[in-house]
Amino acid sequence: MTRISLQERKQKILQIVIHHFIRTGKPVGSETIIEKNKLGVSPATVRNILAALEKEGYLTHPHTSSGRVPTDKGYRFYVDSLMQLQQLTQEEEQRIEKEYESQRGALDSVMQETSKMLSMLSHYTGFVLTPSPAADRLKRLELVKLDRDRVLAVLVTDAGFIRHKIINVDQDVNSTELLSINRMLNKNVYGISVNDISAEIFKRLQQEKNKQVKYINIMEKLIQQAFALDEEGELYLEGTSNILSQPDFADYEKVRNIFKVIDEKKMLCELLEEKVSHEGIKVIIGEETPCKELQECSIVTSTYRAGDKTLGALGIIGPKRMEYSKMIALVNYFSKLINKTISRTTKELAREPRKK
Amino acid sequence: MTRISLQERKQKILQIVIHHFIRTGKPVGSETIIEKNKLGVSPATVRNILAALEKEGYLTHPHTSSGRVPTDKGYRFYVDSLMQLQQLTQEEEQRIEKEYESQRGALDSVMQETSKMLSMLSHYTGFVLTPSPAADRLKRLELVKLDRDRVLAVLVTDAGFIRHKIINVDQDVNSTELLSINRMLNKNVYGISVNDISAEIFKRLQQEKNKQVKYINIMEKLIQQAFALDEEGELYLEGTSNILSQPDFADYEKVRNIFKVIDEKKMLCELLEEKVSHEGIKVIIGEETPCKELQECSIVTSTYRAGDKTLGALGIIGPKRMEYSKMIALVNYFSKLINKTISRTTKELAREPRKK
DNA sequence: AATTAGCACTCTATTCATTAGAGTGCTAAT
DNA sequence: ATTAGCACTCTAATGAATAGAGTGCTAATT
């Protein structure tokens, strides 16, 4: 992507076209441009410039006799260089903050609430992708006996996520035994990442040979299953119906495809996880997505830190023709907010370290 | 709804019309009826009968010169009296059963899987509504300390549902205290419905005056919050995008409304909970729904027993023009399957009663 | 050399008329 | 009670005509 800096006037006109198109959704003609903006030039000049911009790939024609429409490349340039960043209004910030205060609970419900608010404030589809707990640090592990050969494991991670899982141990364990296993595990579990835990625990157990070897067998089963988290983290998705309200998505076929992708959360998860490799706001425009069905959409997403290093993602999905500056501001704000919330949670959790 | 029994031939024709319309989606004319079925009568006669059926409210006309289309009343009569019940094919049953076997886990994930399969096999939208745990019996309650003033409560109900909740106790409780509270609660908790538990526990505690009174204060906080389950139970919803594939929903406006309702799960929850008062298959056709936006849809739903008495619901949402017999068979089958699964779970859980 | 006026040209979208076809509803005959 | 016959109604599809928006090019202008 060679970035030959366009001359100033060209840029100005490109910016006018895109801005106008974003607002109205109608192709923009040379006359319209003159009308709304006092550039001291004639329509013909503007036409020449538009033709040039088209040759360079920033604009297109739906058909010969209609105005110009931005291409993906055009949007990209707009987002990277032309657009002026916006801030949320105080009103909006207050509204968000207020909603957030009342939401004192488990992290998972905060995430759900966040995706809902993203959707409401953007009028598009909002999402939050929870990081796989596998990469997070373990804070606590609780084992509860359910019946003869099944145990419920409850994991609390450093960042404040809670997951539970039912485990089959094909061997009878009585409650007292379980309790002491539990205690032993908790002593060794704090602060280790869920990924490494299996290996780590066995290492420690071998050093602690004085303990009864009796449990080792059971424990192996338990640990293996408890930490085999195949899940890729949760995806909270809200406001999918907003897609139907977008005039840009009048084409039934396209909408159906978009919904198919969104319906199968899995696909979306993968797409997002791939893109969420490094921090900061990211804008994915149209064909930049690896997912064919979403080529008519843009995604504005940002990451947040959960615990010490794990990254989750959040953002919105809407039509390519969206108010990028506004959306970026919105996503950015929530990203910061969640970071704050999580670091608070983490701190609280850390207040009482692993004495027991 | 006076049910003047229609003469046999009338019924026959009504049945032909509805059946044909369900299959093709096109209004049915008198000629078509004659062609496909050898009734020894002329088109004119059929027309007379159609006109009669229309006057009685079972059919309508989209416009003067088109064939007949069933009204809601027509569908209702069809479902109640004309339709012959169907069975799933062996193939289908096996496919379901197989999927089910591999799914050995927490009940919640079974529910999610079920709604997915309902959607896949029906090609409509599938749902499972989990009963509010409040009405279920408690099997076990686990308290885990998170930080100075917050405790994680994990509830396991009789039927096998698992819920967790974060509780604020504005008082420091050390882990040992918590453990003994936990033990005390568990001794008293088994088999009581979550609804009654608050009252019940206090009654018992008063009898047990010998216990330290010290904890009572904390315990009150804990219990109050732990069992204040405002949730109405989970709604698992899958295959919403299938709605878009229905030719019946070509009207953008209508689809948008349907999606709005479905998006806001809450509304759907209430609707379903209301309708799910007594057991058995229920078919809600078009305007019979209390929800305006769903007037173009039909819902086939059935209940399942969770634990001893609590009812959950499951089913499918599709266009009014659906193969009712097939859908009823499908929903019915899943309903039975879940009943079986739950009663198995319950039994397993009961195998080790409340010794500790 | 850049700008602009002027004009032919292209394509869309809307309107209107026409037509074929499907299906009804009524009347009168069987 | 049934049916043949026929006028009537409405839809859906097709095509022609037209207005309008906007371009692209050429030649004149600055």
Side-chain angles (χ1 to χ4, degrees):
Chain A
M1 207 198 293
T2 39
R3 176 79 46 77
I4 300 144
S5 135
L6 305 168
Q7 303 112 52
E8 202 177 334
R9 196 177 52 188
K10 245 185 189 169
Q11 290 198 14
K12 172 91 183 175
I13 285 182
L14 179 55
Q15 124 105 344
I16 290 170
V17 171
I18 296 184
H19 193 71
H20 192 271
F21 181 73
I22 283 176
R23 280 197 354 255
T24 66
K26 305 244 173 287
V28 189
S30 52
E31 306 270 3
T32 326
I33 294 173
I34 299 288
E35 269 173 44
K36 309 268 165 170
N37 303 68
K38 292 170 210 155
L39 327 139
V41 287
S42 75
T45 313
V46 172
R47 276 205 291 281
N48 286 332
I49 297 172
L50 289 176
L53 281 166
E54 177 158 4
K55 212 184 320 182
E56 292 166 49
Y58 295 97
L59 298 175
T60 355
H61 258 160
H63 55 264
T64 6
S65 76
S66 88
R68 294 317 204 286
V69 161
T71 60
D72 287 7
K73 189 178 172 189
Y75 278 126
R76 168 55 60 200
F77 188 75
Y78 176 77
V79 169
D80 287 347
S81 315
L82 299 177
M83 179 189 73
Q84 27 197 339
L85 288 174
Q86 231 182 306
Q87 289 232 315
L88 295 187
T89 65
Q90 277 219 315
E91 223 180 324
E92 285 168 317
E93 291 197 0
Q94 276 169 8
R95 189 172 155 201
I96 296 171
E97 214 99 29
K98 195 176 151 197
E99 197 77 33
Y100 243 74
E101 278 317 308
S102 68
Q103 192 61 37
R104 306 252 339 128
L107 203 45
D108 304 78
S109 68
V110 172
M111 294 310 186
Q112 182 154 11
E113 199 55 32
T114 301
S115 69
K116 231 176 241 169
M117 292 186 67
L118 272 167
S119 134
M120 271 172 44
L121 290 165
S122 68
H123 301 290
Y124 300 139
T125 301
F127 65 82
V128 177
L129 180 65
T130 276
S132 160
D136 203 359
R137 296 226 184 118
L138 204 63
K139 165 74 192 173
R140 196 178 268 285
L141 167 66
E142 211 65 20
L143 301 172
V144 184
K145 178 152 192 189
L146 288 182
D147 54 54
R148 200 170 48 77
D149 55 1
R150 297 199 311 168
V151 169
L152 172 69
V154 180
L155 274 69
V156 182
T157 77
D158 202 16
F161 290 107
I162 298 162
R163 292 280 176 277
H164 55 225
K165 195 165 181 184
I166 289 180
I167 294 169
N168 292 295
V169 286
D170 45 30
Q171 189 173 1
D172 201 348
V173 204
N174 72 40
S175 306
T176 335
E177 285 172 341
L178 197 66
L179 197 65
S180 75
I181 291 180
N182 198 357
R183 204 171 282 158
M184 197 194 311
L185 281 177
N186 260 317
K187 224 184 287 174
N188 286 295
V189 125
Y190 182 87
I192 307 177
S193 107
V194 177
N195 262 332
D196 310 334
I197 209 156
S198 225
E200 184 66 21
I201 288 223
F202 279 109
K203 216 172 71 189
R204 295 201 190 174
L205 281 182
Q206 286 184 333
Q207 295 168 351
E208 241 178 294
K209 269 275 165 62
N210 50 335
K211 284 281 168 198
Q212 299 109 307
V213 198
K214 187 187 162 196
Y215 297 149
I216 290 212
N217 199 357
I218 302 172
M219 232 182 287
E220 196 175 345
K221 273 261 148 42
L222 272 173
I223 291 172
Q224 257 171 18
Q225 288 189 53
F227 303 118
L229 296 167
D230 29 18
E231 328 166 28
E232 304 112 327
E234 292 282 321
L235 179 69
Y236 299 97
L237 203 62
E238 295 285 339
T240 50
S241 72
N242 283 345
I243 289 176
L244 290 170
S245 320
Q246 295 306 320
D248 305 70
F249 297 134
D251 183 350
Y252 224 85
E253 197 56 35
K254 278 177 194 162
V255 172
R256 243 175 56 197
N257 281 327
I258 295 173
F259 264 87
K260 248 186 224 150
V261 176
I262 288 183
D263 222 19
E264 264 191 62
K265 293 184 171 186
K266 220 182 196 172
M267 227 154 137
L268 210 56
C269 277
E270 280 164 23
L271 159 62
L272 288 173
E273 267 173 2
E274 184 187 331
K275 283 279 169 183
V276 178
S277 40
H278 34 296
E279 266 182 275
I281 290 258
K282 198 157 229 164
V283 181
I284 303 168
I285 298 168
E287 299 198 344
E288 295 171 8
T289 179
C291 176
K292 227 181 204 166
E293 288 84 352
L294 295 181
Q295 286 189 352
E296 294 303 314
C297 299
S298 281
I299 302 175
V300 177
T301 169
S302 180
T303 54
Y304 61 88
R305 311 180 68 80
D308 209 16
K309 50 174 181 254
T310 322
L311 294 177
L314 84 181
I316 56 107
I317 302 177
K320 286 200 284 197
R321 181 178 77 80
M322 64 165 69
E323 287 203 48
Y324 288 95
S325 53
K326 181 101 191 192
M327 293 305 128
I328 289 174
L330 187 67
V331 170
N332 193 38
Y333 191 77
F334 271 105
S335 153
K336 282 187 185 148
L337 210 55
I338 287 210
N339 271 334
K340 233 193 298 179
T341 307
I342 288 186
S343 79
R344 199 178 50 201
T345 312
T346 314
K347 232 178 270 165
E348 276 177 10
L349 285 172
R351 242 190 275 159
E352 167 142 351
R354 55 160 168 151
K355 78 172 187 214
K356 171 148 191 168
Chain B
M1 211 199 290
T2 39
R3 178 78 46 78
I4 300 143
S5 134
L6 305 168
Q7 304 112 52
E8 203 176 333
R9 196 178 50 190
K10 245 185 191 167
Q11 291 197 12
K12 173 91 183 175
I13 286 183
L14 180 55
Q15 124 106 343
I16 290 171
V17 171
I18 297 183
H19 193 70
H20 191 272
F21 182 73
I22 283 176
R23 279 197 355 256
T24 66
K26 306 241 174 288
V28 189
S30 52
E31 307 269 2
T32 326
I33 294 173
I34 300 288
E35 270 173 42
K36 309 269 166 168
N37 304 69
K38 291 168 209 152
L39 327 138
V41 288
S42 75
T45 313
V46 172
R47 277 204 290 282
N48 287 331
I49 297 172
L50 290 177
L53 281 166
E54 178 158 2
K55 211 182 324 181
E56 290 166 49
Y58 295 97
L59 298 174
T60 356
H61 258 162
H63 55 263
T64 6
S65 77
S66 88
R68 293 319 205 284
V69 161
T71 60
D72 287 4
K73 188 178 173 188
Y75 278 126
R76 168 55 58 201
F77 189 75
Y78 175 77
V79 168
D80 287 346
S81 315
L82 300 176
M83 179 190 71
Q84 28 197 337
L85 288 173
Q86 230 182 307
Q87 289 233 315
L88 295 187
T89 66
Q90 276 218 316
E91 221 179 325
E92 286 168 315
E93 291 196 1
Q94 277 168 7
R95 189 174 155 201
I96 296 171
E97 215 99 30
K98 196 175 150 197
E99 197 76 34
Y100 244 74
E101 278 316 309
S102 68
Q103 191 62 37
R104 305 253 339 128
L107 203 46
D108 304 78
S109 68
V110 172
M111 294 310 186
Q112 181 155 12
E113 199 55 33
T114 301
S115 69
K116 233 176 236 168
M117 293 187 67
L118 272 168
S119 135
M120 271 171 46
L121 290 164
S122 68
H123 301 290
Y124 300 139
T125 300
F127 65 83
V128 177
L129 180 65
T130 277
S132 159
D136 203 0
R137 294 224 186 121
L138 205 63
K139 165 72 191 172
R140 196 178 268 285
L141 167 67
E142 211 65 21
L143 300 172
V144 183
K145 179 154 189 187
L146 288 182
D147 54 55
R148 198 169 51 77
D149 56 0
R150 298 199 311 168
V151 170
L152 172 68
V154 180
L155 273 69
V156 182
T157 77
D158 203 15
F161 291 106
I162 299 162
R163 291 280 175 279
H164 55 224
K165 195 164 180 184
I166 288 181
I167 294 169
N168 293 295
V169 286
D170 44 30
Q171 188 173 2
D172 202 348
V173 204
N174 73 41
S175 306
T176 334
E177 285 171 341
L178 196 65
L179 197 65
S180 77
I181 291 180
N182 198 358
R183 203 172 281 157
M184 196 194 312
L185 281 176
N186 260 318
K187 222 185 286 175
N188 286 296
V189 126
Y190 182 87
I192 306 177
S193 107
V194 177
N195 262 332
D196 309 335
I197 209 156
S198 224
E200 184 66 22
I201 288 222
F202 280 109
K203 217 173 70 190
R204 294 201 191 175
L205 281 183
Q206 286 185 330
Q207 293 168 351
E208 243 178 291
K209 270 276 166 61
N210 50 337
K211 284 281 168 201
Q212 299 108 307
V213 198
K214 185 189 162 197
Y215 297 149
I216 290 212
N217 199 356
I218 301 172
M219 230 182 286
E220 196 174 344
K221 272 262 150 37
L222 274 172
I223 292 172
Q224 256 172 17
Q225 287 189 54
F227 303 119
L229 296 166
D230 30 18
E231 327 167 28
E232 304 111 328
E234 292 283 320
L235 179 69
Y236 298 97
L237 203 61
E238 295 283 340
T240 49
S241 72
N242 283 344
I243 290 176
L244 290 169
S245 320
Q246 296 306 320
D248 304 71
F249 296 135
D251 183 350
Y252 225 84
E253 197 55 34
K254 278 177 194 162
V255 173
R256 242 176 57 197
N257 281 326
I258 295 173
F259 264 87
K260 247 186 226 152
V261 176
I262 288 183
D263 222 20
E264 263 192 62
K265 294 184 170 185
K266 219 181 198 175
M267 226 152 136
L268 209 55
C269 276
E270 279 164 23
L271 159 63
L272 288 172
E273 268 173 3
E274 184 187 331
K275 284 279 170 183
V276 178
S277 41
H278 35 297
E279 266 184 276
I281 290 258
K282 198 156 231 165
V283 182
I284 303 167
I285 299 167
E287 300 199 345
E288 295 171 8
T289 178
C291 176
K292 225 181 205 166
E293 287 84 353
L294 295 180
Q295 287 189 351
E296 294 302 314
C297 299
S298 281
I299 301 175
V300 177
T301 170
S302 181
T303 53
Y304 62 87
R305 310 181 67 81
D308 209 15
K309 51 171 181 258
T310 321
L311 294 175
L314 83 182
I316 56 109
I317 303 176
K320 287 200 285 197
R321 180 178 77 80
M322 63 164 70
E323 287 204 49
Y324 288 96
S325 53
K326 181 103 191 190
M327 293 305 128
I328 289 174
L330 186 68
V331 170
N332 195 37
Y333 190 77
F334 271 103
S335 152
K336 281 185 184 149
L337 210 55
I338 287 209
N339 271 334
K340 234 193 297 180
T341 307
I342 289 186
S343 80
R344 200 176 52 201
T345 311
T346 313
K347 233 179 269 163
E348 279 178 8
L349 286 173
R351 243 191 274 160
E352 166 142 349
R354 55 162 167 148
K355 76 172 186 211
K356 170 145 190 173

